[in-house]
Amino acid sequence: MGLEFHTPATYRIQVKGYLEDKWSDRLGGMVIKATGGPEGERETVLVGRLADQAALFGVLNTLYGLHLPLLSVEHVGSTQT
């Protein structure tokens, strides 16, 4: 069936800056991994399954509120039930 607005899917989100693991619960249970970017800049990658695109919007809105510039959002898989 593929990606639809109201179905669960797995996403990979990359932001510029550092985000601690303790934010996972606030970000839909996504796994958080901070890395070093080019020229020593910090980046954080979040990967996880979200209930729908409304949940994705909630995660993105939280990241915006934390002033973490968005580098990429990637759909990496859908869950069919």
Side-chain angles (χ1 to χ4, degrees):
M1 179 182 276
L3 181 65
E4 293 190 26
F5 186 78
H6 61 280
T7 60
T10 301
Y11 295 94
R12 180 180 183 274
I13 303 169
Q14 187 173 5
V15 295
K16 182 177 178 181
Y18 177 75
L19 188 63
E20 294 180 351
D21 290 340
K22 69 180 182 180
W23 283 92
S24 180
D25 287 341
R26 177 94 185 260
L27 297 168
M30 298 188 89
V31 175
I32 299 171
K33 181 179 178 185
T35 63
E39 301 179 22
E41 293 182 13
R42 299 286 303 230
E43 294 178 359
T44 300
V45 176
L46 300 88
V47 178
R49 180 177 175 269
L50 298 173
D52 53 27
Q53 288 194 1
L56 173 62
F57 180 77
V59 169
L60 296 175
N61 194 43
T62 299
L63 295 171
Y64 175 81
L66 294 170
H67 304 282
L68 295 170
L70 189 61
L71 298 174
S72 68
V73 178
E74 180 182 5
H75 168 254
V76 294
S78 295
T79 303
Q80 297 181 8
T81 55

